[in-house]
Amino acid sequence: MIKFICAKDYDEMSRRAANVISAQLIEKADSVLGLATGSTPIGLYNCLAERCAMGDLDFSKVTTVNLDEYKGLTHDNDQSYYYFMNKNLFSKINIDPANTNVPDGTIEDPEEACAKYEAIIAATGGIDLQLLGIGHNGHIGFNEPADVFPKLTNCVDLTESTINANARFFASIEDVPTQAYTMGIQTIMNAKKILLVANGAGKAEILKKSFFGDITPQVPASVLQLHPDVTVVGDEEAFALIKDLI
Ligand code: PGA
């Protein structure tokens, strides 16, 4: 089942999404949270950090597994997702760093890197709640449009659209990595709950395609229509084309 929560703007979207994660942690203090990077979840992470600082949220028993990581970037590269997560969330909450996991982009051999990450996820006992952003082309994690849904953690060649979208974070487009390690669609679908966040008019079309269009690997997020427990939190602009359908 898909639940849609329409917030009026980015701040409200962030707070509403933080409510979903808060509810998860109240329900199960030792939850395994699947986390995401990108610009969309930053407000949500700020919100979680504020609630933690106030003593309203406790991450001391939480384990996290992140969706993806650029291949070839070291932990101290400020564009690596490892760096992003520490800067935007882990350093601001009372989580044990040993319980945080991001695919290791420094492992050269994709087979080794992907198998290692799947083993880490399996060792957590499974993801309770997976947070997702959505790409303009419908990618979730770095699972790009393809002929089949990639199953497990895999090494992907990033599409031109994704490289262009990410170029704003790098000094030049040549610096944007061209490959990444990402959880697969099955890895994501195995999460007990999914929370997808989207804001801005640029996401309106893809939200409609993903949740009201055909289920196809050409729109990776469309697979979420088959998941039993999905919550989509977006702002009014992102929901512009689906508000009459929900
Ligand atoms: P964004 O990225 O939050 O920066 O829009 C989302 C995504 O590509 O998954």
Side-chain angles (χ1 to χ4, degrees):
M1 202 194 81
I2 305 172
K3 211 181 305 164
F4 292 93
I5 298 176
C6 183
K8 70 175 186 306
D9 55 21
Y10 180 75
D11 286 346
E12 188 184 313
M13 178 204 78
S14 302
R15 292 196 304 276
R16 298 275 208 122
N19 288 349
V20 175
I21 294 184
S22 302
Q24 174 66 38
L25 297 190
I26 290 163
E27 188 83 7
K28 187 172 183 245
D30 61 348
S31 288
V32 179
L33 298 180
L35 297 179
T37 52
S39 51
T40 315
I42 291 180
L44 153 64
Y45 290 156
N46 286 339
C47 213
L48 294 176
E50 274 167 29
R51 292 181 190 185
C52 184
M54 286 194 298
D56 292 345
L57 265 187
D58 178 17
F59 288 85
S60 62
K61 297 190 178 70
V62 169
T63 299
T64 66
V65 281
N66 259 78
L67 277 171
D68 47 16
E69 177 62 287
Y70 288 117
K71 181 170 185 281
L73 296 194
T74 51
H75 286 172
D76 60 350
N77 185 310
D78 65 4
Q79 290 309 324
S80 74
Y81 288 168
Y82 178 93
Y83 190 98
F84 175 103
M85 289 309 301
N86 278 295
K87 175 168 163 249
N88 290 297
L89 186 65
F90 301 151
S91 62
K92 301 180 184 173
I93 58 174
N94 67 333
I95 196 162
D96 179 350
N99 293 337
T100 67
N101 302 282
V102 179
D104 188 347
T106 66
I107 300 177
E108 250 314 302
D109 175 22
E111 224 170 283
E112 181 194 342
C114 297
K116 217 169 166 181
Y117 202 58
E118 281 294 327
I120 286 172
I121 296 168
T124 67
I127 300 168
D128 292 300
L129 174 68
Q130 176 67 53
L131 172 67
L132 299 174
I134 183 168
H136 294 101
N137 59 6
H139 73 207
I140 48 178
F142 266 135
N143 295 287
E144 303 282 21
D147 293 335
V148 290
F149 287 115
K151 291 200 172 86
L152 301 176
T153 300
N154 60 100
C155 179
V156 290
D157 295 326
L158 303 179
T159 61
E160 209 179 320
S161 127
T162 301
I163 293 172
N164 288 337
N166 289 339
R168 67 192 193 274
F169 301 117
F170 291 84
S172 80
I173 194 141
E174 288 75 36
D175 293 333
V176 187
T178 56
Q179 288 188 309
Y181 295 136
T182 182
M183 282 185 196
I185 294 293
Q186 187 184 319
T187 324
I188 293 169
M189 290 292 279
N190 281 345
K192 293 191 188 84
K193 293 180 188 168
I194 304 274
L195 168 62
L196 186 142
V197 287
N199 76 290
K203 298 288 171 72
E205 190 72 48
I206 196 61
L207 281 187
K208 186 173 180 202
K209 260 195 183 164
S210 300
F211 293 103
F212 296 93
D214 292 342
I215 299 170
T216 161
Q218 292 300 334
V219 183
S222 65
V223 77
L224 299 173
Q225 294 181 43
L226 301 173
H227 193 283
D229 191 341
V230 179
T231 303
V232 181
V233 186
D235 69 353
E236 279 174 3
E237 287 184 352
F239 275 27
L241 301 178
I242 60 170
K243 65 176 190 302
D244 296 331
L245 304 171
I246 58 180

